[in-house]
Amino acid sequence: MINVVLYEPEIPQNTGNIMRTCMAMNCRLHLIEPMGFKITDKSLKRAGMDYVKELDYKIYPDWQTFYNMHEGSYYYITRYGEKTPSEFNYKEDEGKDIYLVFGKESTGIDKHILHDNYDRCVRIPMVAQARSLNLSNCVAICVYEVLDQLGFPELSHTEVIKGKDFLQQFE
């Protein structure tokens, strides 16, 4: 199982977008408090649309509580990492839960956590003068890389809602 962990998220629209991504990509979402919004926030629900109802997510009071409850392979997405998402071999983690940890929008993941896990820090390459990408975009990039390496387990490779042959009617 791929798990997306948001360490103290601050912007409800980002979290709503991430909720939608997690539901569509069959990932579990973990939210670490304090958060900069309430889970009932209208903008969070608007960004997450009706996907939030189908999402597997849980809220934790702090990092240590979350970490003590979950064993698996952890990856920390940060601008301070030196390896790209594709440099890790996620197939080696098969049979274990994979945790992709993302920090709050203003300051990222606690620097002590990063220091203690430096060999698992991941950087999304970008131009040198860019500080960061939008949080929900980072989640999508990293989740997609893991899913690609694992062969997109349990995800549909064809259109199901309108039908596999939907575009054939436009000949």
Side-chain angles (χ1 to χ4, degrees):
M1 167 66 74
I2 299 171
N3 297 269
V4 171
V5 182
L6 300 185
Y7 176 87
E8 302 179 3
E10 298 168 317
I11 301 174
Q13 294 90 334
N14 282 338
T15 300
N17 288 334
I18 292 165
M19 290 175 137
R20 184 175 179 178
T21 297
C22 285
M23 183 276 173
M25 298 296 173
N26 197 32
C27 299
R28 187 177 297 128
L29 178 63
H30 305 272
L31 301 169
I32 311 297
E33 294 181 315
M35 297 187 291
F37 54 88
K38 295 191 183 321
I39 200 72
T40 56
D41 192 293
K42 280 188 215 175
S43 52
L44 179 138
K45 288 184 176 185
R46 189 175 317 114
M49 297 175 53
D50 57 344
Y51 293 89
V52 174
K53 291 179 255 170
E54 310 266 337
L55 176 66
D56 180 6
Y57 76 96
K58 190 165 182 185
I59 301 171
Y60 304 84
D62 55 59
W63 170 256
Q64 204 58 53
T65 301
F66 162 77
Y67 189 76
N68 290 342
M69 294 175 68
H70 299 283
E71 288 186 24
S73 295
Y74 283 75
Y75 299 91
Y76 302 86
I77 293 62
T78 172
R79 69 189 217 186
Y80 304 112
E82 293 184 14
K83 295 179 183 176
T84 68
S86 61
E87 287 183 67
F88 291 93
N89 182 354
Y90 305 102
K91 287 183 180 181
E92 291 176 353
D93 297 322
E94 280 191 282
K96 298 181 198 173
D97 280 344
I98 295 172
Y99 294 91
L100 302 173
V101 183
F102 300 85
K104 58 181 154 183
E105 290 89 341
S106 63
T107 59
I109 302 167
D110 181 279
K111 304 313 177 267
H112 293 97
I113 295 170
L114 296 176
H115 177 268
D116 294 345
N117 297 283
Y118 187 71
D119 61 325
R120 295 297 204 137
C121 287
V122 180
R123 178 181 170 81
I124 298 171
M126 62 188 93
V127 297
Q129 61 271 27
R131 188 171 31 96
S132 65
L133 294 169
N134 175 275
L135 180 60
S136 62
N137 292 336
C138 292
V139 169
I141 289 166
C142 292
V143 165
Y144 190 86
E145 176 61 35
V146 175
L147 287 169
D148 186 31
Q149 285 190 29
L150 299 178
F152 301 100
E154 300 178 33
L155 298 181
S156 176
H157 291 250
T158 61
E159 166 59 33
V160 175
I161 296 169
K162 292 195 175 196
K164 178 180 175 184
D165 300 323
F166 174 71
L167 292 179
Q168 301 312 315
Q169 68 181 315
F170 298 103
E171 292 182 296

